[in-house]
Every structure is written in structure tokens, then in C-alpha cells.
Amino acid sequence: MPTPSLDSLPIRRLTLRDLTACADLSEDRGWPREEHKWGLLLAAGRGHGVEAPDGGLAAACVVTEYGPRERPSLAAVGMVLVAERHSRQGLGRRLMRHVVEEAGTNPLTLHATPLGRPLYEELGFKVTGQAEMVRGHFVPSGRPDILTRTATADDLPAILRLDEEVFGTDRTHIVTRLPAFADQLRVAEEDGRIIGYAAAWPNMDTHVVGPLIARDTATAQALIASLAAHTNRPLRTDIDVRHHELLDWVKEHGLAPVAFNAVMTHGITDLPGDWSRRFAPVTVAAA
């Protein structure tokens, strides 16, 4: 039997049943397996994949939609991966064209590595911002003036209202998964009102800080410090570079620069919401 060409292989939907295959694909490209993150993305988003003729996945990506189900106001593309043995054969381009065509007029966003950016630009994505990944053991200094505490179930309505206001569209299906997905979910409070919230979720040997939504830099600092106080793992997060004051602060407290990713959009000139209160995403794979 002749081996089918990659162009003839169908693009199919991925589900949680494909989690191990997705993790295997990550590992194939030298990425961490990140099964916990894949689980969130496949449950809350829509996976697309191409099965390899020789087994496993030849390519995969996940699209996480936000806003009304019938007409999403924004969709984030992430985890765009092609198996090493099938790379440089146009499979990533074909998969991304499929995503763009399926989105139609609905806006898209993604975080692009320097390697992936030329492909996304070819497909009409524009650079609208930049995020810096930092990682390390947080070194505390003093006590923040802003009150932070563990979030409770009663806080969820207020967290959802704040998140939609800052993010610019509804992402209930992500936020309501945080209590089970994250090891910590904390809020910052002033006069009984929630002015910020943040989660820390396990990813390999780190705790990823995200989302990080806060009224101002001081509130973001208090949330990070409170999360760090309850873990022995290194912290990792991706901070919008416009928040240079917070970036300087985390570097002064033990986190080191790792990489930059370009924030790109398709169909809109900028992301919705209030960037000044949006410090870090849940994960760059889901904006």
C-alpha cells in the first residue's frame, strides 16, 4: 500500500481522548509534555489535528473561543505543532489556513515564537504587542499593603464580572475551570471589593501564574507575592511588556528572562478589553 501524501490526510477534531497523542507530539518537538495544560485546552477549546500515516499525530493545534457561542468575539490559537518527521512540508501552513477559514470573520489572536511568526504573517496576522516569559524562584521582600486571600465559591460571580470587563469578552468556560485546574486561586480585595485575581497552576516543575488581572501594578505585585508564598516551585509567567514596572519588579525578586513572544491578531487591530489591568494570560496558548 502506498503511503498517503500529507495533503490528502484529513484534518479532524481532537478531543480529550487525544491528550496522550498531543503530549507525545509536544515531546517530539522538544517541548515539555504539558499534559495538564493540554487537558484544559482540549476541554475548553476545540482541537484540530492530522493523524500521521505511521501513527500518532502529524500536526495539531487548539482554538479557544470567547464570547457568544453562536458568534465568538475572539478566538485564541495555540499549541501549533508539527511532528519533526513531517516538518517543512507545508502541514503547519495547511492547518493554520484551515483555522483561519473556519473562523471566517471572527477575530483571532495568538502568541508567536520567532520561528512561527513568518507563517502567521503570511496568513495575515499582524503584530500588536509582545509578552516576556520570566521564570525563577520568587524572593520575597516585605509585606504588601494590599490584602489578598484564597478565593471562595462566593467570589466567582465577582471574578467573572471583573474578568469580562478587563478581558473584553466573556470567558466563563475558562474561569470556572480554574478552581479545579489551578493549585491556587487568590483575590486581592479593598473595602470588600475584589480588585484583582490570579491563579497558579502546575506545569511540569513550575507553577504558572495566570491569569493575572489587577487594578494596578501594586495589586499585581501583591497577588504574585501571595501565590509565591504558598509554593516551593519556581514561578513562570508571561507578562505584557507594556507592564515594564512589574517586569522590573519580578526580575528584582528572582525571576529571570526566558523568551519573548509576539502577540498577533487577525481580523482586528488590537485586542479588546483593558490592557492596563491585564498583566498575564492563563496561558499563551489561550491568550
Side-chain angles (χ1 to χ4, degrees):
M1 289 289 290
T3 301
S5 71
L6 293 178
D7 287 342
S8 68
L9 297 174
I11 296 173
R12 70 168 178 86
R13 290 287 174 87
L14 301 178
T15 70
L16 281 168
R17 292 189 297 273
D18 298 295
L19 192 153
T20 299
C22 290
D24 289 345
L25 181 59
S26 291
E27 197 169 53
D28 174 80
R29 291 317 304 250
W31 289 21
R33 291 183 63 81
E34 297 187 307
E35 292 184 9
H36 189 58
K37 182 170 77 173
W38 273 113
L40 174 72
L41 295 171
L42 291 171
R46 190 170 63 251
H48 302 273
V50 176
E51 292 193 35
D54 52 353
L57 288 172
C61 71
V62 182
V63 179
T64 308
E65 295 179 338
Y66 302 107
R69 183 184 296 271
E70 62 279 3
R71 187 174 176 81
S73 53
L74 183 68
V77 186
M79 306 304 282
V80 182
L81 287 164
V82 177
E84 178 64 36
R85 63 192 184 281
H86 298 300
S87 63
R88 294 174 293 278
Q89 298 178 55
L91 194 52
R93 180 177 291 102
R94 180 177 166 229
L95 190 60
M96 281 302 302
R97 280 182 176 154
H98 173 80
V99 167
V100 170
E101 289 170 6
E102 188 173 78
T105 59
N106 295 335
L108 297 170
T109 185
L110 54 79
H111 283 65
T113 64
L115 187 63
R117 178 174 162 177
L119 168 61
Y120 304 133
E121 289 178 330
E122 179 185 322
L123 295 172
F125 284 82
K126 307 291 185 186
V127 175
T128 57
Q130 192 176 45
E132 182 175 5
M133 181 191 296
V134 290
R135 182 189 187 280
H137 283 281
F138 182 85
V139 179
S141 63
R143 294 189 61 180
D145 295 330
I146 295 168
L147 173 66
T148 63
R149 59 171 175 81
T150 300
T152 69
D154 291 340
D155 295 320
L156 194 55
I159 290 173
L160 286 167
R161 286 193 297 271
L162 176 63
D163 188 84
E164 182 170 359
E165 180 183 327
V166 174
F167 192 75
T169 187
D170 177 62
R171 54 176 182 174
T172 298
H173 62 309
I174 290 286
V175 176
T176 52
R177 284 179 164 89
L178 290 176
F181 176 70
D183 284 345
Q184 296 186 62
L185 181 61
R186 299 185 66 84
V187 296
E189 202 171 38
E190 182 180 81
D191 299 327
R193 183 173 62 91
I194 290 176
I195 57 173
Y197 85 97
W201 51 271
N203 190 40
M204 312 307 289
D205 65 335
T206 69
H207 266 128
V208 176
V209 176
L212 176 55
I213 300 289
R215 179 184 62 185
D216 50 30
T217 300
T219 306
Q221 291 171 348
L223 284 164
I224 291 174
S226 68
L227 293 170
H230 294 84
T231 179
N232 293 321
R233 296 188 185 191
L235 297 184
R236 200 189 91 196
T237 191
D238 297 85
I239 298 174
D240 186 322
V241 296
R242 289 174 291 188
H243 292 296
H244 53 85
E245 187 179 350
L246 182 65
L247 277 166
D248 290 343
W249 180 82
V250 295
K251 291 170 185 175
E252 291 168 2
H253 287 76
L255 276 65
V258 176
F260 288 95
N261 285 326
V263 180
M264 306 186 78
T265 58
H266 185 285
I268 47 174
T269 56
D270 201 359
L271 292 174
D274 180 1
W275 75 265
S276 69
R277 291 183 286 166
R278 186 176 58 231
F279 288 83
V282 180
T283 163
V284 294

